[in-house]
Amino acid sequence: MAKEKTVYVCTNCGQDSPKWIGKCPSCGAWNTYVEEVVRKEPTDRRPIAGLQPMKSKPMVLTDIAGGDEPRIDMGDEELNRVLGGGLVPGSLVLLGGEPGIGKSTLVLQTVLRLPDKRVLYVSGEESVRQLKLRADRLPHHSSDCLIVCETSLEQIYVHIKNTQPDLVIIDSIQTISMENIDSSPGSLVQVRECSASILKFAKETNTPVILIGHINKEGSIAGPKVLEHIVDTVLQFEGDQHYMYRILRSIKNRFGSTAELGIYEMRQNGLRQVSNPSELLLSQDHEGMSGVAIASAIEGVRPFLIETQALVSSAVYGNPQRSATGFDLRRMNMLLAVLEKRVGFKLGQKDVFLNIAGGLRVNDPAIDLSVISAILSSNMDVAIEPDTSMAGEVGLSGEIRPVNRIEQRMGEAEKLGFKRMLIPKHNLQGLDISKLKIEIIPVRKVEEAFRALFG
């Protein structure tokens, strides 16, 4: 008879202990240990060397056949870009995001555009009628998408054997459970064992599997960290529910770059691909308004222009407030310190509010120049010319540091009709600007940039 064993597992990092502990020694979190029942099957004898069947053998690296992995076109340019060119057969993809952000909508509308692929959509959260109502709102062409509502992994394998799909979708991994594990679905043991079993199935049958995962209140994917380690690709679907834009990021990708970015627009009939985000992120009526600067940013390999908004006012409640939306608050405080120390602008007793228009969160350091320009524009109540864009990283000594891919940034600004662009002076080395129709203003220090903008 099977012998049961009880262990305590940390819900934050997955560390186990034979007894309950208040503070996890691995991650340092408090009150995160929960009791799990682990059933161990008795072993008759230990394996003896030389008597086990050989399943694999070592190979010389030069004897292994190489080449690019074949890709499955998902019919979605944004998704293909983030995946690295398409979905690799036999790969395991994990898609995570906030509740209601559109994970299921993104996956369902994508698989409905695959008319030549048989897709098995396994739903553990919604009924068949709910999926039908969602599919009716989406434009679709495929009639070979099979829907099944199941939470038992053993039964899912039976459906896979009967239907022989080309692609399997599991929504979500936290609702799937194995019958031989005595713990509830979503627990650390269930998520770990189910994902390991699905990974083995995907690699042995060369069938791609897309897992939809929940996230916890800290914003990371729920479950053990081993879930993110064993999958081939981890995608994060993010955005503000009060804005129409959604961003698909690649956190981990064994078959492509993690610097790629996909942008979608949420509509009544599903998610629309945004091929040119610059035109949507720029408002066309900011002429004569102070505190607005246009930055040429790059996410992955895509350049786009974003609108940086700043508001500087006198501190009414004593302590000055600092607030940033879509930008790192600590970096904004550093830029404010540079303005006060190197340029001489006294902003210590003023409230400073910063916003990246459109609900985006940008990590590109090249927007530093536009941030400080918008702050000073609001402080002096002087508008920046609407046909001026800029790109440059600001150092602690007040210098404008060079940025990467300056040709793509200038090309994007020229395509959208901008007349002037401020760039770091060091970026002009080896750069041919004679063919550009946009005026390039090289700047070396923050003071030079302010003289070019405000005279």
Side-chain angles (χ1 to χ4, degrees):
M1 185 176 178
K3 182 180 179 180
E4 291 187 354
K5 178 184 177 182
T6 301
V7 297
Y8 291 86
V9 183
C10 175
T11 58
N12 189 38
C13 65
Q15 178 78 15
D16 56 1
S17 172
K19 61 180 181 179
W20 186 86
I21 304 176
K23 181 181 180 180
C24 177
S26 177
C27 63
W30 286 88
N31 298 326
T32 56
Y33 272 83
V34 295
E35 187 178 9
E36 296 283 355
V37 177
V38 180
R39 176 178 297 174
K40 281 192 173 182
E41 298 293 337
T43 56
D44 296 334
R45 59 194 179 101
R46 294 183 179 180
I48 302 175
L51 298 181
Q52 299 298 318
M54 185 173 60
K55 298 182 179 180
S56 61
K57 62 179 181 179
M59 297 179 63
V60 181
L61 184 61
T62 55
D63 295 340
I64 301 175
D68 295 334
E69 293 285 345
R71 304 277 181 166
I72 300 176
D73 185 9
M74 303 300 291
D76 188 327
E77 294 181 1
E78 301 293 311
L79 182 58
N80 285 338
R81 180 188 295 110
V82 177
L83 289 174
L87 187 64
V88 177
S91 62
L92 187 60
V93 179
L94 176 62
L95 174 63
E98 292 277 353
I101 204 68
K103 304 184 297 295
S104 301
T105 301
L106 174 64
V107 173
L108 185 59
Q109 78 173 23
T110 301
V111 298
L112 290 177
R113 294 172 182 168
L114 303 176
D116 55 343
K117 300 291 182 181
R118 169 168 286 194
V119 180
L120 178 62
Y121 192 103
V122 181
S123 176
E125 299 178 348
E126 296 178 292
S127 64
V128 178
R129 292 182 59 86
Q130 288 175 309
L131 291 172
K132 174 62 176 176
L133 291 174
R134 174 178 294 160
D136 289 340
R137 300 195 306 265
L138 305 174
H140 59 276
H141 312 285
S142 174
S143 59
D144 206 6
C145 181
L146 307 175
I147 306 294
V148 60
C149 296
E150 186 60 65
T151 58
S152 173
L153 186 60
E154 288 81 3
Q155 293 299 319
I156 292 174
Y157 286 146
V158 173
H159 293 303
I160 292 175
K161 183 179 179 181
N162 294 334
T163 58
Q164 297 295 321
D166 300 318
L167 173 62
V168 178
I169 311 293
I170 296 182
D171 184 10
S172 64
I173 185 60
Q174 278 80 13
T175 61
I176 307 301
S177 62
M178 300 178 69
E179 297 177 357
N180 59 348
I181 299 178
D182 296 332
S183 59
S184 59
S187 63
L188 294 174
V189 178
Q190 286 283 10
V191 173
R192 181 175 65 241
E193 297 300 325
C194 289
S195 57
S197 177
I198 295 172
L199 174 68
K200 183 179 179 181
F201 157 77
K203 299 303 180 183
E204 290 180 351
T205 62
N206 204 33
T207 303
V209 180
I210 298 179
L211 305 177
I212 298 179
H214 298 165
I215 66 171
N216 52 27
K217 58 184 179 181
E218 286 81 17
S220 57
I221 296 178
K225 198 68 177 177
V226 68
L227 175 61
E228 301 179 46
H229 284 289
I230 67 173
V231 299
D232 297 311
T233 306
V234 180
L235 303 180
Q236 187 84 10
F237 201 44
E238 58 189 37
D240 195 337
Q241 294 186 357
H242 301 289
Y243 289 91
M244 66 184 78
Y245 302 112
R246 302 289 187 266
I247 298 177
L248 185 65
R249 298 182 187 271
S250 176
I251 301 177
K252 170 189 175 182
N253 193 355
R254 289 174 177 161
F255 305 107
S257 173
T258 58
E260 294 295 343
L261 185 78
I263 301 180
Y264 294 87
E265 181 185 4
M266 178 63 77
R267 291 188 171 185
Q268 291 289 338
N269 58 350
L271 293 162
R272 185 185 71 87
Q273 306 174 41
V274 179
S275 57
N276 189 9
S278 298
E279 296 180 355
L280 297 177
L281 296 176
L282 295 179
S283 63
Q284 304 298 325
D285 54 353
H286 65 271
E287 184 174 357
M289 298 171 58
S290 63
V292 177
I294 307 300
S296 181
I298 282 187
E299 287 287 337
V301 296
R302 302 182 62 183
F304 56 91
L305 300 182
I306 59 176
E307 185 177 311
T308 307
Q309 301 174 349
L311 175 63
V312 180
S313 62
S314 300
V316 181
Y317 302 105
N319 294 329
Q321 301 181 57
R322 301 286 189 264
S323 177
T325 303
F327 191 74
D328 188 8
L329 181 60
R330 293 174 295 181
R331 189 165 187 86
M332 187 188 76
N333 291 329
M334 182 268 290
L335 295 176
L336 292 177
V338 171
L339 287 178
E340 183 164 352
K341 180 71 175 179
R342 304 298 181 185
V343 191
F345 287 91
K346 304 300 181 181
L347 302 175
Q349 298 301 319
K350 293 187 177 182
D351 296 335
V352 180
F353 304 96
L354 184 67
N355 177 44
I356 304 298
L360 294 181
R361 179 164 188 85
V362 183
N363 299 318
D364 189 3
I367 72 171
D368 288 350
L369 184 57
S370 67
V371 169
I372 61 174
S373 301
I375 291 174
L376 287 184
S377 172
S378 178
N379 183 48
M380 299 185 299
D381 200 15
V382 177
I384 299 176
E385 292 295 329
D387 58 353
T388 302
S389 63
M390 59 199 73
E393 180 183 356
V394 177
L396 292 179
S397 60
E399 80 278 11
I400 307 298
R401 302 179 59 84
V403 296
N404 61 346
R405 296 178 181 173
I406 191 65
E407 297 91 346
Q408 298 182 26
R409 300 177 193 267
M410 294 188 298
E412 183 73 9
E414 182 183 5
K415 183 176 68 174
L416 293 177
F418 284 83
K419 304 299 183 183
R420 299 194 308 163
M421 183 173 181
L422 275 68
I423 67 170
K425 189 174 183 179
H426 292 285
N427 277 123
L428 283 179
Q429 298 178 0
L431 185 64
D432 185 15
I433 60 174
S434 59
K435 299 181 181 180
L436 294 176
K437 299 178 181 179
I438 186 173
E439 179 186 357
I440 302 300
I441 304 177
V443 291
R444 190 172 62 91
K445 292 185 178 182
V446 175
E447 298 92 329
E448 298 179 13
F450 294 157
R451 283 196 296 268
L453 292 173
F454 307 110

